[in-house]
Amino acid sequence: MKPPAFDYLVATDCDMAVAALARAGSEAKILAGGQSLMPMLNFRLLRPSILVDINRIPGLSFIEETPDSVRIGALTRHFQLETSPLIAQHFPVLSYAVAHVGHLAIRNRGTIGGSLSHADPAAELPMMAVLLDATLRIVSATGSRTVAARDFFLNALTVDLDGTELLTEIVLPKLPAQTGWGFGEIVRRHGDFALAAVATTLTLSGSEIVQARIALTGVGPTTLRAAEAESLLVGREFDENLSRRAIGAVREAISPETDLHASADYRRHLAGVLIGRALSAAWRRGHAG
Ligand SMILES: Cc1cc2nc3c(=O)[nH]c(=O)nc-3n(C[C@H](O)[C@H](O)[C@H](O)COP(=O)(O)OP(=O)(O)OC[C@H]3O[C@@H](n4cnc5c(N)ncnc54)[C@H](O)[C@@H]3O)c2cc1C
């Protein structure tokens, strides 16, 4: 199908974009990579009166290091994240995870800001933002604000943005030394959205886990952290018994749904298997440095 008719504005700076959004209110849609928006328009799931194209706003696509964080512009393409030496150095779990997003053609166009704002329940980048305790910077015609990624994802395809706001930047605090990571996902075919996906980081002090993070996607309406399982791990050495307990806590924490692709029980089973493997990998990598 073809999209319904819409007006089209190429914004050349953020002020121009947010002024257009303020004028149109909930009638406008931001166009970033178009990889989720265009299919939704073509299926006529959305009928915006105007598209505000942000692709030509200079300064929205960057990956920059500060002493304690890495800042990522909202228009940074998935492929740029995947191939960035800075991301590989500070967040290898993100480099690895982003390579699982769709196919290369999609990663060439899709942007981190678009993925977070779209908030597909099985998307990898929202899970990464929640895992890595990202802070999101948002601007509108009336000012700017920041929101923690953990508070941003409200429901399936629903985030803390009011339709006149533009996500401009994602800030990732650097990970402590001796942090290992793990990631796992199951898809039916390469490039599909995950039936279930998990990511974890374990920060060690000697042989003790001093910080644990576990995030999941594809197993509920929105990405989430498994707080109970995280606190089980802290203050302990990782072993088979602890792994089994963490797997149990992860399965308790999620409420997957049955759909065309998999049953809720199968998704719950997968999440447990994946997190068991990811925790072992994180423990190994944490010891390796
Ligand atoms: C065949 C196919 C397979 C895919 N597989 C996967 C997958 O496995 N995993 C995965 O995570 N994703 C997958 N995707 C989605 C892909 O990652 C998209 O790129 C992403 O979800 C949206 O990013 P975008 O830049 O294309 O955003 P767009 O499609 O341009 O926009 C998406 C939504 O976000 C809003 N928006 C965009 N940028 C901003 C901003 N800066 N501030 C506020 N709102 C904004 C738009 O208005 C729109 O509502 C797939 C897509 C396709 C077509």
Side-chain angles (χ1 to χ4, degrees), residues 115-168:
S115 180
L116 301 191
S117 306
H118 183 63
D120 187 286
E124 288 86 356
L125 292 178
M127 174 171 73
M128 286 298 119
V130 164
L131 177 81
L132 297 171
D133 288 329
T135 301
L136 313 185
R137 184 158 184 275
I138 293 161
V139 300
S140 72
T142 54
S144 68
R145 65 186 177 102
T146 56
V147 58
R150 275 177 97 148
D151 300 324
F152 184 69
F153 302 101
L154 304 177
N155 209 332
L157 308 184
T158 310
V159 295
D160 179 16
L161 282 176
D162 78 1
T164 64
E165 293 179 307
L166 172 70
L167 170 61
T168 54

Side-chain angles (χ1 to χ4, degrees), residues 45-276:
L45 296 170
L46 294 172
R47 291 171 178 271
S49 63
I50 179 167
L51 290 194
V52 179
D53 186 339
I54 60 170
N55 282 277
R56 284 178 220 160
I57 299 182
L60 265 190
S61 174
F62 60 86
I63 303 174
E64 280 173 15
E65 184 174 10
T66 73
D68 51 11
S69 69
V70 172
R71 300 169 51 224
I72 303 170
L75 205 55
T76 305
R77 313 280 166 188
H78 305 331
F79 183 69
Q80 290 172 292
L81 290 177
E82 188 181 342
T83 53
S84 159
L86 208 51
I87 297 294
Q89 181 190 346
H90 292 289
F91 306 105
V93 64
L94 175 56
S95 306
Y96 188 77
V98 74
H100 292 74
V101 174
H103 304 277
L104 186 56
I106 288 149
R107 298 198 296 276
N108 251 333
R109 290 301 302 163
T111 66
I112 183 168
S115 180
L116 301 191
S117 306
H118 183 63
D120 187 286
E124 288 86 356
L125 292 178
M127 174 171 73
M128 286 298 119
V130 164
L131 177 81
L132 297 171
D133 288 329
T135 301
L136 313 185
R137 184 158 184 275
I138 293 161
V139 300
S140 72
T142 54
S144 68
R145 65 186 177 102
T146 56
V147 58
R150 275 177 97 148
D151 300 324
F152 184 69
F153 302 101
L154 304 177
N155 209 332
L157 308 184
T158 310
V159 295
D160 179 16
L161 282 176
D162 78 1
T164 64
E165 293 179 307
L166 172 70
L167 170 61
T168 54
E169 185 177 322
I170 297 91
V171 181
L172 301 178
K174 287 181 184 168
L175 296 167
Q178 245 201 301
T179 296
W181 60 273
F183 173 91
E185 76 169 37
I186 299 284
V187 291
R188 293 185 71 186
R189 293 165 311 190
H190 169 74
D192 280 3
F193 277 98
L195 294 181
V198 306
T200 184
T201 63
L202 295 180
T203 303
L204 311 183
S205 172
S207 276
E208 185 184 320
I209 299 169
V210 291
Q211 187 190 59
R213 306 182 203 190
I214 295 175
L216 297 103
T217 193
V219 289
T222 185
T223 185
L224 78 156
R225 286 273 290 266
E228 286 281 315
E230 291 176 353
S231 46
L232 264 180
L233 294 162
V234 173
R236 297 188 165 84
E237 281 191 33
F238 188 71
D239 60 19
E240 274 298 310
N241 183 39
L242 191 60
S243 174
R244 264 196 302 277
R245 290 175 60 204
I247 289 170
V250 163
R251 287 184 173 141
E252 282 284 304
I254 58 177
S255 16
E257 287 188 4
T258 296
D259 64 17
L260 205 59
H261 306 294
S263 69
D265 283 349
Y266 182 56
R267 285 198 158 95
R268 184 172 281 109
H269 169 77
L270 285 183
V273 172
L274 290 171
I275 199 60

